[in-house]
Amino acid sequence: MPRRLPGLLLLLWPLLLPPPPAAPANPGPPARTVFRRLGTLGPRGSPGRHPAPAAPTGAPYSGAGLPGGARGAGVCKSRPLDLVFIIDSSRSVRPLEFTKVKTFVSRIIDTLDIGEANTRVAVVNYASTVKIEFHLQAHSDKQSLKQAVGRITPLSTGTMSGLAIQTAMEEAFTVEAGARGPSSNIPKVAIIVTDGRPQDQVNEVAARARASGIELYAVGVGRADMESLKMIASEPLDEHVFYVETYGVIEKLSSRFQETFCAQDQCASGTHGCQHLCVSDRAGSHHCECYEGYALNEDKKTCSVRDKCALGSHGCQHICVSDGAASYHCDCYTGFTLNEDKKTCSAIEEARRLISTADTCGCEATLAFQDKVSSYLQRLNTKIDDILAKLQANEYGQIHR
């Protein structure tokens, strides 16, 4: 008589199974480490790659810990400029004083990033006449540029400041002379140095220069006319007009111009306001980015969850499948089945083996009970058969008497 598990045991067998086995050592392809390009990041930010963390801490990120390129205090890098020095070499400027002016120009050059794609420098020399010593495209490295400055000689006589500004505007700041066009967004800056009163009209020509997009700085020395400096300079005047009593201290202004031309790295200073990543761009600007699995909000600062699977906090043992912006479900590798917790997976063959074992072994108590019932039924059937046989025999005997 074949043995069969009671229907109740079939219904209860999942409860008798042991917990799902741990995931095999290599159940499938290993998880990929996600890299994303971060650009120039933070105080040590050189362009490169950085692994995206599984989930953010919520604190603004400035790239701390990345290798490379800190300069000085780590937060200042000169922005690209088209820069023209307009220097007074009239008779009132003595040779030694003119040397001081050239040193002042050279020290400012030292603070700049010079190059074709960075800052370009030209020098306009003036007195009663105007001479462009070299154009913006003439020198692309600091050494040759400073050597060219060192070779400049005074013109003497006269102070034609207006003519010098006009010449710079019409000849030095042209694309043909090496200036970059409007689409480049490279600032055009002129620094005029003088120790006297202009002998021509500067008001109108300076206004036209400013209207053309040139930012004018006026540096006065000694007997320089302060009103003329104010007519030349761009607004606000307190940031564009400088004065020193003698050429002997003009070199000290170079540090002021270094601060003026410094492109503040907001990613390094921590003032960027980005929730996740701050990426420094050229010309001192920056933009915010988000960790993998997040999207940048309309404010261009904060981030919202876009893909929970990418966060690494989904809890799926094998595979996470995105269902939308913040929804997902778990799946298993081939040969595995998802458990009731909808997170973990069990091997299908292992489950079948356990079922087979349960079928073979069953419940000992239940099988013992079955054996007793079967034995009892067999004995009962034997007795019934004996009784029926006797009854049949008695009936047969009565009929034939």
Side-chain angles (χ1 to χ4, degrees), residues 21 116 122 167 210 342:
E116 286 292 326
T167 302
R210 294 192 300 268
K342 304 300 181 183

Side-chain angles (χ1 to χ4, degrees), residues 24 26-31 317-319 331-337 345-346 348:
N26 185 20
Q317 185 180 7
H318 286 184
I319 301 170
D331 203 350
C332 298
Y333 296 128
T334 302
F336 291 79
T337 183
C345 301
S346 296
I348 295 175

Side-chain angles (χ1 to χ4, degrees), residues 273-348:
C274 299
Q275 184 179 6
H276 289 182
L277 300 170
C278 181
V279 181
S280 293
D281 303 318
R282 292 192 57 184
S285 61
H286 73 282
H287 69 275
C288 300
E289 291 185 2
C290 299
Y291 293 123
E292 195 73 24
Y294 289 79
L296 197 64
N297 294 327
E298 291 185 3
D299 61 8
K300 303 300 181 183
K301 296 282 187 180
T302 59
C303 302
S304 297
V305 174
R306 179 187 61 194
D307 183 358
K308 279 197 170 182
C309 286
L311 303 183
S313 58
H314 45 76
C316 297
Q317 185 180 7
H318 286 184
I319 301 170
C320 181
V321 181
S322 292
D323 296 325
S327 178
Y328 69 95
H329 69 274
C330 299
D331 203 350
C332 298
Y333 296 128
T334 302
F336 291 79
T337 183
L338 196 65
N339 294 326
E340 291 184 2
D341 61 6
K342 304 300 181 183
K343 297 278 187 178
T344 60
C345 301
S346 296
I348 295 175

